[in-house]
Amino acid sequence: EAGVAQSPRYKIIEKRQSVAFWCNPISGHATLYWYQQILGQGPKLLIQFQNNGVVDDSQLPKDRFSAERLKGVDSTLKIQPAKLEDSAVYLCASSLGQLILNTEAFFGQGTRLTVV
Amino acid sequence: DAKTTQPTSMDCAEGRAANLPCNHSTISGNEYVYWYRQIHSQGPQYIIHGLKNNETNEMASLIITEDRKSSTLILPHATLRDTAVYYCIGTQAGTALIFGKGTTLSVSS
């Protein structure tokens, strides 16, 4: 079974530029998550999708971050414009359904973003 | 949101059992406790999860106290490759994993 695929693996941009990350979840997984992990900290949830609908985006800085999951499969996370403090690893995860239904989430390798 | 408390770091000798404790006194009755680990530069890796009963799989065992306020992850025979940050995780209303700071486990020969 293929895992969660993310691209690119690494990205370096200048502040105020825009950047986009792509995630392909495990086939058949209805729930998709984006996390931000700053060096030395645990991952922080940014947004959660159930199929193509948003379940929770309360932690997403909506003035600069946006995410979509067209057709309920692949997802993209965009930052525009980027700030220095956005330097982090962006992790995508997917699960069959809501975790309360006794399932687990699987993570991709992440995209390491450096803003200079 | 279910919050968890873990020791910052632990050491374990190779071949010995590693017992990682976690307090989760605010977890609600129908929310699972999850354990993940993260090896440097990789995404978090699922280990095990449980609700009330003890659980075992090929990677580890999970012991949950009867009052569900704490749990222990047991790696029966730790190897150098088990060196990682281990996260005991509650969920946000049963929908998303909410990570804390985790325990850095160092396995040495």
Side-chain angles (χ1 to χ4, degrees), chain B residues 8-20 36-45 47 59 73 75-87 102-109:
Chain B
T8 301
S9 63
M10 294 184 64
D11 296 318
C12 180
E14 189 177 24
R16 303 296 295 269
N19 297 288
L20 290 85
Y36 280 73
R37 72 180 182 184
Q38 190 170 28
I39 297 169
H40 184 62
S41 297
Q42 296 183 20
Q45 176 190 23
I47 301 174
M59 289 184 69
L73 179 75
L75 307 178
H77 306 287
T79 70
L80 298 178
R81 288 180 295 180
D82 292 322
T83 292
V85 179
Y86 286 78
Y87 295 98
T103 296
T104 299
L105 175 68
S106 299
V107 181
S108 57
S109 56

Side-chain angles (χ1 to χ4, degrees), chain A residues 41-54:
Chain A
Q41 299 181 18
K44 169 189 161 187
L45 179 69
L46 291 176
I47 190 168
Q48 178 187 354
F49 292 94
Q50 183 68 20
N51 295 309
N52 60 351
V54 175

